[in-house]
Amino acid sequence: MTLAHEVGHAVQALLDPSTETEVGSHIELQADCLAGVWAQHAIDRDGLDRATPLTTWRKETELLNTPDHELTHGTPDQRLAATRKGMDGGSAAACGLPEG
């Protein structure tokens, strides 16, 4: 999921170039949302259990969580909620980006 989050930043830059210069938890949570879009497509394509990426992502965000990281990326609960939003919405539009 970390890789999907980072790829989410590349998708942000393609669909909305202004995000390249933005900083803050909004941008990071949007990348988490895009990771959720990817995860749901993988689940649909490969028949994976939906709980697996969510459980893995929860553990990752808790391991990464520090006060400074929380300020820039959001809390583990916020990050999981953003990921679920992407999974439920299934598109960049669900994450607040234009469809490309």
Side-chain angles (χ1 to χ4, degrees), residues 6-20:
E6 295 306 328
V7 171
H9 287 305
V11 172
Q12 286 171 318
L14 289 171
L15 296 179
D16 185 1
S18 71
T19 62
E20 286 188 282

Side-chain angles (χ1 to χ4, degrees), residues 17-38:
S18 71
T19 62
E20 286 188 282
T21 57
E22 289 185 47
V23 237
S25 63
H26 166 73
I27 294 301
E28 298 301 333
L29 292 172
Q30 190 175 60
D32 290 339
C33 182
L34 292 167
V37 172
W38 170 84

